[in-house]
Amino acid sequence: MRIWAPSQAVADVLTDLPDVECTVYEGGPTPPDGAEHVEVWIPPLIPPGTLRDLLGRMTKLRLVQTVTAGVEPYRPYVPTGVVLCNARGVHDAGTAEWAVGATISVLRDFPAFTLAQESGRWDYHHTGVLADATVLIVGYGSIGQALERRLAGFEVEVVRVARTPREGVYGMDDLPALLPQADVVVLLVPVTPDTVKMVDAGFLARMKDGALLVNAARGSVVDTDALLAELTAGRLRAALDVTDPEPLPPGHPLWTAPGVLITPHVAGSTPASVRRVCKLVRSQMLRYLSGEPLNNVITGSY
């Protein structure tokens, strides 16, 4: 059985499996030869630009196991009969940690203090604080739960929202009433037809003055022009690990908008995520080889 792995680290945890031939493909415009013989593909973190053509040539493909929680680049092109699994859980720690760190960074004005340090200025001033804030988590899945655990010691009120309402968790229809109460709004939703540009001018207008928008989901969830208008007016602040467009090109107005912290989609790019990806991939392949049901199978809209 031929497998394409996204890194040597992933390939190394599969080399002892019986009858497995593993080739490393880290992405890029020129994939290895033999796509027509690949049965299992574990794509790289950033999908290759040749995705549609590549999947079309994988005539023996049976399983696509992503190393990301989001699978929106693959869904339109995965052939009928091929199982698609995501990496739910492996980036929980890194993404939740980023969300806490980015929130505190903006609230405590760390970017401004860093600039002051670079120029040797003692820029004393009061800042905001996370304590006593209401944090609205929009997309209360495994990452949202990991975020709440990390917020437990910060003396905040956590409000949870998910696609499926349940005890202690509001539904998406409740968002308009919840947004005006939140000091921090953290986006952790997957990309679906319902969530693309979900954060539009109306959504942002309902947020309270001075509130912070934290996007650890996908850039397409936010209407960039609407967010720019609020940032430029100085009414809202933002911490963004993802943008639309992405990568954010030089000269884009988001780079210089007031009150925004931007990181280049690094929330899940940590050693912890690498270790957990390797553990998940090995577990999945053991299940696949033995005919057991796979975890994280994507069905329906997501």
Side-chain angles (χ1 to χ4, degrees), residues 25-283:
Y25 173 43
E26 298 178 342
T30 308
D33 294 332
E36 65 277 11
H37 301 297
V38 174
E39 185 172 337
V40 177
W41 185 29
I42 308 161
L45 194 63
I46 300 174
T50 56
L51 187 59
R52 182 176 187 173
D53 174 67
L54 192 55
L55 283 169
R57 290 192 284 121
M58 291 179 163
T59 53
K60 291 188 178 179
L61 189 65
R62 296 295 176 267
L63 170 63
V64 175
Q65 170 63 64
T66 70
V67 297
T68 57
V71 295
E72 66 276 4
Y74 304 95
R75 289 184 61 85
Y77 308 124
V78 172
T80 302
V82 175
V83 177
L84 174 64
C85 298
N86 74 353
R88 185 181 191 272
V90 303
H91 301 294
D92 291 4
T95 304
E97 186 176 287
W98 177 90
V100 174
T103 297
I104 292 174
S105 180
V106 174
L107 294 179
R108 299 309 304 265
D109 218 5
F110 287 171
F113 289 128
T114 299
L115 291 174
Q117 178 183 346
E118 290 176 352
S119 60
R121 290 183 295 110
W122 189 263
D123 183 23
Y124 175 85
H125 60 267
H126 279 225
T127 71
V129 68
L130 184 54
D132 303 328
T134 296
V135 179
L136 177 61
I137 300 175
V138 184
Y140 191 71
S142 63
I143 298 177
Q145 294 165 30
L147 174 57
E148 183 173 14
R149 290 194 297 272
R150 284 157 178 79
L151 289 170
F154 285 97
E155 302 175 25
V156 300
E157 178 186 0
V158 174
V159 180
R160 313 164 195 87
V161 174
R163 180 177 56 181
T164 304
R166 50 196 184 272
E167 185 176 355
V169 182
Y170 292 95
M172 290 294 185
D173 290 342
D174 297 304
L175 265 178
L178 297 172
L179 285 168
Q181 307 169 28
D183 301 289
V184 180
V185 178
V186 184
L187 305 175
L188 294 170
V189 294
V191 173
T192 69
D194 292 331
T195 62
V196 171
K197 286 188 167 43
M198 176 185 76
V199 182
D200 56 11
F203 183 109
L204 295 169
R206 293 184 180 94
M207 293 175 62
K208 66 163 62 173
D209 290 353
L212 172 64
L213 180 74
V214 180
N215 191 0
R218 288 292 187 270
S220 60
V221 170
V222 177
D223 183 323
T224 300
D225 290 339
L227 177 59
L228 267 169
E230 293 283 11
L231 294 172
T232 302
R235 199 182 72 82
L236 299 178
R237 292 172 291 175
L240 310 174
D241 188 49
V242 289
T243 59
D244 182 19
E246 187 175 309
L248 196 63
H252 193 283
L254 259 182
W255 284 119
T256 54
V260 63
L261 170 69
I262 299 173
T263 59
H265 206 152
V266 297
S269 300
T270 70
S273 293
V274 173
R275 291 190 295 268
R276 295 171 193 204
V277 162
C278 290
K279 183 177 180 180
L280 170 67
V281 166
R282 182 172 176 83
S283 171

